[in-house]
Amino acid sequence: MLEEALEHLVKGIVEHDEDVVVRRKELRRGELLEVRVHPDDLGRVIGRSGRTASALRTVVNALAGNGNVRVDIVDTDQVR
């Protein structure tokens, strides 16, 4: 559920919404949601001084309820 919600939010921000991929990984300290976007959209998702990324993290943590969710944003050109 969190993956779909985060993907929907990010697709509303970016220009290349077909390149948005959200992956969920289970970690010892909680879960990680990794957001991959087109390199041209990376600045849009991060925002000025990281405000947009911070807002996305706040919304996801509110939806999660337990607060053990980390959101990382990377571009699609980085090694997978």
Side-chain angles (χ1 to χ4, degrees):
M1 178 192 119
L2 290 177
E3 302 90 15
E4 293 88 10
L6 181 57
E7 184 174 345
H8 179 73
L9 289 170
V10 173
K11 282 186 176 184
I13 297 170
V14 299
E15 287 184 23
H16 305 279
D17 60 343
E18 66 279 355
D19 290 339
V20 175
V21 177
V22 178
R23 292 187 183 154
R24 179 180 175 195
K25 297 179 182 178
E26 290 292 329
L27 304 174
R28 276 184 269 152
R29 293 180 284 171
E31 67 181 280
L32 167 70
L33 296 178
E34 184 179 81
V35 181
R36 292 191 177 273
V37 297
H38 191 278
D40 294 341
D41 292 325
L42 191 58
R44 287 176 168 257
V45 176
I46 294 173
R48 274 201 184 144
S49 300
R51 289 184 185 149
T52 305
S54 178
L56 289 170
R57 289 182 180 105
T58 300
V59 170
V60 168
N61 281 317
L63 289 173
N66 60 6
N68 291 333
V69 179
R70 198 174 97 206
V71 177
D72 284 347
I73 301 167
V74 296
D75 67 41
T76 54
D77 283 348
Q78 289 188 354
V79 177
R80 296 175 190 224

Coordinates of all heavy atoms in Angstrom, one line a residue:
M1 N 0.8 -1.2 0.0 CA 0.0 0.0 0.0 C 0.9 1.3 0.0 O 0.6 2.2 -0.7 CB -0.9 0.0 1.2 CG -1.8 1.2 1.3 SD -2.6 1.4 2.9 CE -1.8 2.9 3.4
L2 N 1.9 1.3 0.8 CA 2.8 2.4 0.9 C 3.5 2.7 -0.5 O 3.6 3.8 -0.9 CB 3.8 2.3 2.0 CG 3.3 2.3 3.4 CD1 4.5 2.1 4.4 CD2 2.7 3.7 3.7
E3 N 3.9 1.6 -1.1 CA 4.6 1.8 -2.4 C 3.7 2.4 -3.4 O 4.1 3.3 -4.1 CB 5.0 0.4 -3.0 CG 5.9 -0.4 -2.1 CD 5.2 -1.3 -1.1 OE1 4.0 -1.6 -1.4 OE2 5.8 -1.7 -0.2
E4 N 2.4 2.0 -3.5 CA 1.5 2.6 -4.4 C 1.2 4.1 -4.1 O 1.1 4.9 -5.0 CB 0.2 1.8 -4.5 CG 0.3 0.4 -5.0 CD 0.7 -0.6 -3.9 OE1 0.6 -0.3 -2.7 OE2 1.0 -1.8 -4.3
A5 N 1.0 4.4 -2.9 CA 0.8 5.8 -2.5 C 1.9 6.7 -2.8 O 1.8 7.8 -3.4 CB 0.5 5.8 -1.0
L6 N 3.1 6.2 -2.5 CA 4.3 7.0 -2.8 C 4.5 7.2 -4.3 O 4.8 8.2 -4.8 CB 5.6 6.4 -2.2 CG 6.9 7.1 -2.4 CD1 6.8 8.5 -1.9 CD2 8.0 6.3 -1.7
E7 N 4.3 6.1 -5.1 CA 4.4 6.1 -6.5 C 3.4 7.1 -7.1 O 3.7 7.9 -8.0 CB 4.2 4.8 -7.1 CG 4.4 4.7 -8.6 CD 4.3 3.3 -9.2 OE1 4.4 2.3 -8.4 OE2 4.2 3.2 -10.4
H8 N 2.2 7.1 -6.6 CA 1.2 8.1 -7.1 C 1.6 9.5 -6.8 O 1.4 10.4 -7.6 CB -0.2 7.8 -6.4 CG -1.3 8.7 -6.8 ND1 -1.9 8.6 -8.0 CD2 -1.9 9.7 -6.1 CE1 -2.8 9.6 -8.0 NE2 -2.8 10.2 -6.9
L9 N 2.1 9.8 -5.6 CA 2.5 11.1 -5.3 C 3.7 11.6 -6.2 O 3.7 12.7 -6.7 CB 3.0 11.2 -3.8 CG 1.9 11.1 -2.8 CD1 2.5 10.9 -1.4 CD2 1.0 12.3 -2.8
V10 N 4.7 10.7 -6.4 CA 5.8 11.1 -7.2 C 5.4 11.3 -8.6 O 5.9 12.2 -9.3 CB 7.0 10.0 -7.0 CG1 8.1 10.3 -8.0 CG2 7.5 10.0 -5.6
K11 N 4.6 10.5 -9.2 CA 4.1 10.6 -10.5 C 3.4 11.9 -10.8 O 3.5 12.5 -11.9 CB 3.2 9.4 -11.0 CG 4.0 8.2 -11.3 CD 3.1 7.1 -11.8 CE 3.9 5.9 -12.2 NZ 3.1 4.8 -12.8
G12 N 2.8 12.5 -9.8 CA 2.2 13.8 -9.9 C 3.2 14.9 -9.9 O 2.8 16.0 -10.4
I13 N 4.4 14.7 -9.5 CA 5.4 15.7 -9.5 C 6.3 15.8 -10.8 O 6.6 16.8 -11.2 CB 6.3 15.5 -8.3 CG1 5.5 15.7 -7.0 CG2 7.5 16.5 -8.3 CD1 6.3 15.2 -5.7
V14 N 6.6 14.6 -11.3 CA 7.6 14.5 -12.4 C 7.0 14.7 -13.8 O 5.8 14.6 -13.9 CB 8.3 13.1 -12.3 CG1 9.0 12.9 -11.0 CG2 7.3 12.0 -12.5
E15 N 7.9 14.9 -14.7 CA 7.4 15.0 -16.1 C 7.5 13.6 -16.8 O 6.7 13.3 -17.7 CB 8.4 15.9 -16.9 CG 8.1 17.4 -16.6 CD 9.0 18.3 -17.4 OE1 9.4 17.9 -18.5 OE2 9.2 19.4 -16.9
H16 N 8.4 12.8 -16.4 CA 8.6 11.4 -17.0 C 8.0 10.4 -16.1 O 8.7 9.6 -15.4 CB 10.1 11.1 -17.3 CG 10.7 12.2 -18.1 ND1 10.6 12.2 -19.5 CD2 11.5 13.2 -17.8 CE1 11.3 13.2 -20.0 NE2 11.9 13.9 -19.0
D17 N 6.7 10.4 -15.9 CA 6.1 9.5 -15.0 C 6.2 8.0 -15.3 O 6.1 7.2 -14.4 CB 4.6 9.9 -14.7 CG 3.8 9.8 -16.0 OD1 4.3 9.7 -17.1 OD2 2.5 9.7 -15.8
E18 N 6.5 7.7 -16.5 CA 6.7 6.3 -16.9 C 8.0 5.7 -16.3 O 8.2 4.5 -16.3 CB 6.7 6.1 -18.4 CG 7.8 6.8 -19.2 CD 7.7 8.3 -19.4 OE1 6.6 8.8 -19.1 OE2 8.6 8.9 -19.9
D19 N 8.9 6.6 -15.9 CA 10.2 6.1 -15.4 C 10.2 6.0 -13.8 O 11.2 5.6 -13.2 CB 11.3 7.1 -15.8 CG 11.7 7.0 -17.2 OD1 11.3 6.0 -17.9 OD2 12.3 8.0 -17.8
V20 N 9.1 6.3 -13.2 CA 9.0 6.2 -11.8 C 8.8 4.8 -11.3 O 7.9 4.1 -11.8 CB 7.8 7.1 -11.2 CG1 7.7 6.9 -9.7 CG2 8.0 8.5 -11.5
V21 N 9.8 4.3 -10.5 CA 9.7 3.0 -9.9 C 9.9 3.0 -8.4 O 10.9 3.7 -8.0 CB 10.8 2.1 -10.6 CG1 10.8 0.7 -10.0 CG2 10.6 2.0 -12.1
V22 N 9.1 2.4 -7.7 CA 9.2 2.4 -6.2 C 9.4 0.9 -5.8 O 8.6 0.0 -6.2 CB 8.0 2.9 -5.5 CG1 8.1 2.8 -4.0 CG2 7.7 4.4 -5.9
R23 N 10.5 0.6 -5.1 CA 10.9 -0.7 -4.7 C 10.9 -0.7 -3.2 O 11.4 0.2 -2.5 CB 12.2 -1.1 -5.2 CG 12.3 -1.3 -6.7 CD 13.6 -1.9 -7.1 NE 13.6 -2.0 -8.5 CZ 14.7 -2.0 -9.2 NH1 15.9 -1.9 -8.6 NH2 14.7 -2.2 -10.5
R24 N 10.4 -1.8 -2.6 CA 10.3 -2.0 -1.2 C 11.4 -3.0 -0.8 O 11.4 -4.1 -1.4 CB 8.9 -2.5 -0.8 CG 8.8 -2.7 0.7 CD 7.4 -3.2 1.0 NE 7.3 -3.5 2.4 CZ 6.3 -4.2 2.9 NH1 5.3 -4.7 2.1 NH2 6.3 -4.5 4.1
K25 N 12.1 -2.7 0.2 CA 13.1 -3.6 0.8 C 13.0 -3.7 2.3 O 12.8 -2.7 2.9 CB 14.6 -3.1 0.4 CG 14.9 -3.1 -1.0 CD 16.3 -2.6 -1.3 CE 16.5 -2.5 -2.8 NZ 17.9 -1.9 -3.0
E26 N 13.0 -4.9 2.8 CA 12.9 -5.1 4.2 C 14.3 -5.0 4.8 O 15.2 -5.7 4.4 CB 12.3 -6.4 4.6 CG 10.8 -6.5 4.3 CD 10.0 -5.6 5.1 OE1 10.3 -5.4 6.3 OE2 8.9 -5.2 4.6
L27 N 14.5 -4.2 5.9 CA 15.8 -4.0 6.6 C 15.6 -4.4 8.0 O 14.4 -4.5 8.5 CB 16.3 -2.6 6.5 CG 16.5 -2.0 5.0 CD1 16.8 -0.6 5.1 CD2 17.5 -2.8 4.3
R28 N 16.7 -4.6 8.7 CA 16.6 -4.9 10.2 C 15.9 -3.8 11.0 O 15.1 -4.1 11.9 CB 17.9 -5.2 10.7 CG 18.4 -6.6 10.5 CD 19.8 -6.8 11.2 NE 20.8 -6.5 10.2 CZ 22.0 -6.0 10.5 NH1 22.3 -5.9 11.7 NH2 22.8 -5.7 9.5
R29 N 16.1 -2.6 10.6 CA 15.5 -1.5 11.4 C 14.2 -1.0 10.8 O 13.8 0.1 11.1 CB 16.6 -0.4 11.4 CG 17.8 -0.7 12.2 CD 18.7 0.4 12.2 NE 19.4 0.5 10.9 CZ 20.2 1.4 10.5 NH1 20.4 2.5 11.3 NH2 20.8 1.4 9.4
G30 N 13.6 -1.7 9.9 CA 12.4 -1.3 9.3 C 12.4 -1.6 7.8 O 13.1 -2.4 7.4
E31 N 11.6 -0.8 7.1 CA 11.6 -1.0 5.6 C 12.1 0.2 4.9 O 12.1 1.3 5.4 CB 10.2 -1.4 5.1 CG 9.2 -0.4 5.2 CD 7.8 -0.9 4.8 OE1 7.6 -0.9 3.5 OE2 7.0 -1.2 5.6
L32 N 12.6 0.0 3.7 CA 13.1 1.0 2.8 C 12.3 1.1 1.6 O 12.0 0.1 0.9 CB 14.6 0.7 2.5 CG 15.2 1.5 1.3 CD1 15.4 3.0 1.8 CD2 16.5 0.9 0.9
L33 N 11.8 2.3 1.2 CA 11.2 2.5 -0.1 C 12.1 3.3 -1.0 O 12.5 4.4 -0.6 CB 9.9 3.3 0.1 CG 8.8 2.6 0.9 CD1 7.6 3.5 1.0 CD2 8.4 1.3 0.2
E34 N 12.6 2.7 -2.0 CA 13.5 3.3 -2.9 C 12.8 3.8 -4.1 O 12.1 3.0 -4.8 CB 14.6 2.3 -3.3 CG 15.7 2.8 -4.2 CD 16.7 1.8 -4.6 OE1 16.4 1.0 -5.5 OE2 17.7 1.7 -3.9
V35 N 12.9 5.1 -4.4 CA 12.2 5.7 -5.5 C 13.2 6.0 -6.6 O 14.2 6.7 -6.4 CB 11.5 7.1 -5.1 CG1 10.8 7.7 -6.2 CG2 10.6 6.8 -3.9
R36 N 13.0 5.5 -7.8 CA 13.9 5.8 -8.9 C 13.1 6.6 -9.9 O 12.0 6.3 -10.2 CB 14.3 4.5 -9.6 CG 15.2 3.6 -8.7 CD 15.8 2.5 -9.5 NE 16.7 1.7 -8.7 CZ 18.0 2.1 -8.5 NH1 18.5 3.1 -9.2 NH2 18.8 1.3 -7.8
V37 N 13.7 7.7 -10.3 CA 13.1 8.6 -11.3 C 14.1 9.0 -12.4 O 15.3 8.7 -12.3 CB 12.7 10.0 -10.6 CG1 11.6 9.7 -9.5 CG2 13.8 10.7 -10.0
H38 N 13.5 9.5 -13.5 CA 14.4 10.0 -14.6 C 15.3 11.0 -14.1 O 15.0 11.9 -13.2 CB 13.5 10.5 -15.7 CG 14.1 10.8 -17.0 ND1 14.9 11.9 -17.2 CD2 14.2 10.0 -18.1 CE1 15.3 11.9 -18.4 NE2 15.0 10.7 -19.0
P39 N 16.6 11.1 -14.6 CA 17.6 12.0 -14.1 C 17.1 13.5 -14.2 O 17.4 14.3 -13.4 CB 18.8 11.8 -15.0 CG 18.6 10.4 -15.5 CD 17.2 10.1 -15.6
D40 N 16.3 13.8 -15.2 CA 15.8 15.2 -15.4 C 14.8 15.5 -14.3 O 14.5 16.7 -14.0 CB 15.1 15.4 -16.8 CG 16.1 15.2 -17.9 OD1 17.3 15.4 -17.6 OD2 15.7 15.0 -19.0
D41 N 14.2 14.5 -13.7 CA 13.2 14.8 -12.6 C 13.7 14.7 -11.2 O 13.0 15.0 -10.3 CB 12.0 13.8 -12.8 CG 11.2 14.0 -14.0 OD1 11.0 15.1 -14.5 OD2 10.8 13.0 -14.6
L42 N 14.9 14.4 -11.1 CA 15.5 14.3 -9.7 C 15.4 15.5 -8.9 O 15.0 15.5 -7.8 CB 17.0 13.8 -9.8 CG 17.7 13.4 -8.6 CD1 16.9 12.2 -7.9 CD2 19.1 13.0 -8.8
G43 N 15.7 16.7 -9.5 CA 15.6 17.9 -8.8 C 14.2 18.3 -8.4 O 13.9 18.9 -7.4
R44 N 13.2 17.9 -9.3 CA 11.8 18.2 -8.9 C 11.4 17.4 -7.7 O 10.6 17.8 -6.8 CB 10.9 17.8 -10.1 CG 10.9 18.7 -11.2 CD 10.1 18.1 -12.4 NE 9.9 19.1 -13.4 CZ 8.7 19.8 -13.5 NH1 7.7 19.5 -12.7 NH2 8.6 20.7 -14.5
V45 N 11.8 16.1 -7.6 CA 11.4 15.2 -6.5 C 12.1 15.6 -5.2 O 11.5 15.6 -4.1 CB 11.7 13.8 -6.9 CG1 11.4 12.9 -5.7 CG2 10.9 13.4 -8.1
I46 N 13.4 16.1 -5.3 CA 14.1 16.5 -4.1 C 13.6 17.9 -3.7 O 13.4 18.1 -2.5 CB 15.6 16.5 -4.4 CG1 16.1 15.1 -4.6 CG2 16.3 17.2 -3.2 CD1 17.5 14.9 -5.0
G47 N 13.4 18.8 -4.6 CA 12.9 20.1 -4.3 C 14.0 21.0 -3.7 O 15.1 20.6 -3.5
R48 N 13.6 22.3 -3.5 CA 14.6 23.2 -3.0 C 14.9 22.9 -1.5 O 14.0 22.7 -0.7 CB 14.0 24.6 -3.0 CG 14.2 25.3 -4.2 CD 14.0 26.8 -4.1 NE 14.2 27.3 -5.4 CZ 13.5 28.3 -5.9 NH1 12.7 29.0 -5.2 NH2 13.7 28.7 -7.2
S49 N 16.2 22.8 -1.3 CA 16.7 22.4 0.1 C 16.1 21.1 0.6 O 16.0 20.9 1.8 CB 16.4 23.6 1.1 OG 17.0 24.7 0.6
G50 N 15.6 20.3 -0.3 CA 15.1 19.0 0.1 C 13.7 19.0 0.6 O 13.2 18.1 1.3
R51 N 13.0 20.1 0.4 CA 11.6 20.3 1.0 C 10.6 19.3 0.5 O 9.8 18.7 1.2 CB 11.1 21.7 0.8 CG 11.8 22.7 1.6 CD 11.2 24.1 1.4 NE 12.0 25.0 2.2 CZ 12.2 26.3 1.8 NH1 11.6 26.7 0.7 NH2 12.9 27.1 2.5
T52 N 10.7 19.0 -0.9 CA 9.7 18.1 -1.4 C 10.0 16.7 -1.0 O 9.0 15.9 -0.6 CB 9.7 18.1 -3.0 OG1 9.5 19.5 -3.4 CG2 8.7 17.2 -3.6
A53 N 11.2 16.3 -0.9 CA 11.6 14.9 -0.4 C 11.2 14.8 1.0 O 10.7 13.7 1.4 CB 13.1 14.7 -0.6
S54 N 11.4 15.8 1.8 CA 11.0 15.8 3.2 C 9.5 15.6 3.4 O 9.1 14.9 4.2 CB 11.5 17.0 3.9 OG 11.1 17.1 5.2
A55 N 8.8 16.3 2.6 CA 7.3 16.2 2.6 C 6.8 14.8 2.2 O 5.9 14.3 2.9 CB 6.7 17.3 1.7
L56 N 7.5 14.2 1.2 CA 7.1 12.9 0.8 C 7.4 11.9 2.0 O 6.6 11.0 2.2 CB 7.9 12.5 -0.4 CG 7.5 13.1 -1.7 CD1 8.5 12.8 -2.8 CD2 6.1 12.7 -2.2
R57 N 8.6 12.1 2.6 CA 8.9 11.2 3.7 C 7.9 11.4 4.9 O 7.5 10.4 5.5 CB 10.3 11.5 4.2 CG 11.4 11.1 3.3 CD 12.8 11.4 3.8 NE 13.8 10.9 2.9 CZ 14.5 11.7 2.1 NH1 14.3 13.0 2.2 NH2 15.4 11.2 1.3
T58 N 7.5 12.6 5.1 CA 6.5 12.8 6.2 C 5.2 12.2 5.9 O 4.6 11.5 6.8 CB 6.3 14.4 6.4 OG1 7.5 15.0 6.7 CG2 5.2 14.7 7.4
V59 N 4.7 12.3 4.7 CA 3.4 11.6 4.3 C 3.5 10.1 4.4 O 2.6 9.4 5.0 CB 3.0 12.0 2.9 CG1 1.9 11.2 2.4 CG2 2.7 13.5 2.8
V60 N 4.6 9.5 3.9 CA 4.8 8.1 4.0 C 4.9 7.6 5.4 O 4.2 6.6 5.8 CB 6.0 7.6 3.2 CG1 6.4 6.2 3.5 CG2 5.8 7.9 1.7
N61 N 5.6 8.3 6.3 CA 5.7 7.9 7.7 C 4.3 8.0 8.4 O 4.0 7.2 9.2 CB 6.8 8.7 8.4 CG 8.1 8.1 8.1 OD1 8.3 6.9 8.1 ND2 9.1 9.0 7.9
A62 N 3.5 9.0 8.0 CA 2.2 9.2 8.6 C 1.3 8.0 8.1 O 0.5 7.5 8.9 CB 1.6 10.5 8.2
L63 N 1.4 7.6 6.9 CA 0.6 6.5 6.4 C 1.1 5.2 7.0 O 0.3 4.3 7.3 CB 0.7 6.4 4.9 CG 0.0 7.4 4.1 CD1 0.4 7.3 2.6 CD2 -1.5 7.4 4.2
A64 N 2.4 5.0 7.3 CA 2.9 3.8 7.9 C 2.5 3.6 9.3 O 2.3 2.5 9.8 CB 4.4 3.8 7.8
G65 N 2.4 4.7 10.0 CA 2.0 4.6 11.4 C 3.1 4.3 12.4 O 3.1 4.9 13.4
N66 N 3.9 3.4 12.1 CA 5.0 3.0 13.0 C 6.2 3.8 12.9 O 7.1 3.7 13.7 CB 5.3 1.5 12.9 CG 5.8 1.1 11.5 OD1 6.0 2.0 10.7 ND2 6.0 -0.2 11.3
G67 N 6.4 4.5 11.8 CA 7.6 5.4 11.6 C 8.9 4.7 11.3 O 9.9 5.3 11.3
N68 N 8.8 3.4 11.0 CA 10.0 2.7 10.6 C 10.2 2.5 9.1 O 10.7 1.5 8.6 CB 10.0 1.3 11.2 CG 10.1 1.3 12.7 OD1 10.7 2.3 13.3 ND2 9.6 0.3 13.4
V69 N 9.8 3.6 8.4 CA 10.0 3.5 6.9 C 10.9 4.6 6.5 O 10.8 5.8 6.9 CB 8.6 3.8 6.2 CG1 8.7 3.8 4.7 CG2 7.6 2.8 6.7
R70 N 11.9 4.2 5.7 CA 12.9 5.2 5.1 C 12.6 5.3 3.6 O 12.3 4.3 3.0 CB 14.3 4.6 5.4 CG 15.3 5.7 5.3 CD 16.7 5.2 5.6 NE 17.4 4.8 4.4 CZ 18.3 3.9 4.3 NH1 18.7 3.3 5.3 NH2 18.8 3.7 3.1
V71 N 12.7 6.5 3.1 CA 12.5 6.8 1.7 C 13.8 7.3 1.1 O 14.3 8.3 1.6 CB 11.4 7.8 1.5 CG1 11.2 8.1 0.0 CG2 10.1 7.3 2.1
D72 N 14.3 6.6 0.1 CA 15.5 7.1 -0.6 C 15.1 7.4 -2.0 O 14.4 6.7 -2.7 CB 16.6 6.0 -0.6 CG 17.3 5.9 0.7 OD1 17.2 6.8 1.5 OD2 18.1 4.9 0.9
I73 N 15.7 8.5 -2.6 CA 15.4 8.9 -3.9 C 16.7 8.9 -4.7 O 17.6 9.5 -4.4 CB 14.8 10.3 -3.9 CG1 13.5 10.3 -3.1 CG2 14.5 10.8 -5.4 CD1 13.0 11.7 -2.8
V74 N 16.6 8.1 -5.8 CA 17.8 8.0 -6.7 C 17.3 8.1 -8.2 O 16.2 8.0 -8.5 CB 18.5 6.6 -6.5 CG1 19.1 6.5 -5.2 CG2 17.6 5.5 -6.8
D75 N 18.3 8.5 -9.1 CA 17.9 8.6 -10.5 C 18.1 7.2 -11.2 O 18.8 6.4 -10.7 CB 18.6 9.7 -11.2 CG 20.1 9.5 -11.3 OD1 20.5 8.4 -11.6 OD2 20.8 10.5 -11.2
T76 N 17.5 7.1 -12.3 CA 17.5 5.8 -13.0 C 18.9 5.5 -13.6 O 19.1 4.4 -14.0 CB 16.5 5.7 -14.1 OG1 16.6 6.8 -15.0 CG2 15.1 5.7 -13.5
D77 N 19.8 6.5 -13.7 CA 21.1 6.2 -14.3 C 22.1 5.6 -13.3 O 23.1 5.0 -13.7 CB 21.7 7.5 -14.7 CG 21.2 8.0 -16.0 OD1 20.4 7.2 -16.7 OD2 21.4 9.2 -16.4
Q78 N 21.7 5.6 -12.0 CA 22.6 4.9 -11.0 C 22.6 3.4 -11.1 O 21.6 2.9 -11.6 CB 22.2 5.4 -9.6 CG 22.6 6.8 -9.3 CD 22.4 7.1 -7.9 OE1 21.9 6.3 -7.1 NE2 22.8 8.3 -7.5
V79 N 23.6 2.8 -10.8 CA 23.7 1.3 -10.9 C 22.7 0.7 -10.0 O 22.5 1.1 -8.8 CB 25.1 0.9 -10.4 CG1 25.2 -0.6 -10.5 CG2 26.2 1.5 -11.3
R80 N 22.0 -0.3 -10.5 CA 21.0 -1.0 -9.7 C 21.6 -2.1 -8.9 O 21.7 -3.1 -8.7 CB 19.9 -1.5 -10.6 CG 19.2 -0.4 -11.3 CD 18.2 -0.9 -12.3 NE 17.8 0.3 -13.1 CZ 16.6 0.6 -13.4 NH1 15.6 -0.2 -13.1 NH2 16.3 1.7 -14.0

